[in-house]
Amino acid sequence: MRRPDRAALAAASATAAAVAVGAQVGRSELAAAVRATLGQLEVLFPGKLVEVRVPPFAAVQVGVPGQASAHTRGTPPNVVETDPGTWLALASGRLAWPDAVAARRVSASGAHADIGGHLGALVADLAG
């Protein structure tokens, strides 16, 4: 996935805000927002320890600071999966990681799948 530019992140932020208030968002805008935010997460946390999936639009692999293991494709440990609306709520700071996990809006398996600590940097980037 390529590094998103500022315009893509600004558009993702606007899309996340629209989704948060229940506005109709086109599939292409939703896909672009998911891809931009996942792309930025990948830039901020390079590595291959945790796979973050937001079907049907994208999946990225990210690292965890201080951990040097590698994730392999498939469904091994260290996989995070959620729907696009939940992902955008997490990425924009409108939903806290513990709340999403408790409400079962996120599936997180594996010892390193808690990416809650990653989200603060992503939220800051989306805020501009």
Side-chain angles (χ1 to χ4, degrees):
M1 190 170 289
R2 67 185 183 100
R3 178 185 200 110
D5 60 21
R6 293 301 308 141
L9 292 175
S13 182
T15 300
V19 168
V21 297
Q24 291 287 15
V25 176
R27 181 177 169 82
S28 62
E29 289 83 11
L30 191 59
V34 167
R35 290 181 184 125
T37 53
L38 284 175
Q40 189 64 11
L41 184 71
E42 187 177 41
V43 167
L44 293 170
F45 298 96
K48 301 208 178 285
L49 183 58
V50 179
E51 184 166 294
V52 182
R53 302 174 182 167
V54 183
F57 299 124
V60 297
Q61 291 183 1
V62 298
V64 174
Q67 301 297 321
S69 187
H71 176 86
T72 56
R73 291 279 178 197
T75 312
N78 301 319
V79 173
V80 172
E81 188 167 330
T82 191
D83 64 274
T86 299
W87 172 250
L88 292 177
L90 287 164
S92 64
R94 290 177 172 84
L95 177 63
W97 176 261
D99 296 337
V101 172
R104 296 184 181 206
R105 294 177 64 184
V106 171
S107 169
S109 64
H112 302 292
D114 181 346
I115 62 165
H118 289 51
L119 297 174
L122 184 57
V123 168
D125 272 9
L126 244 70

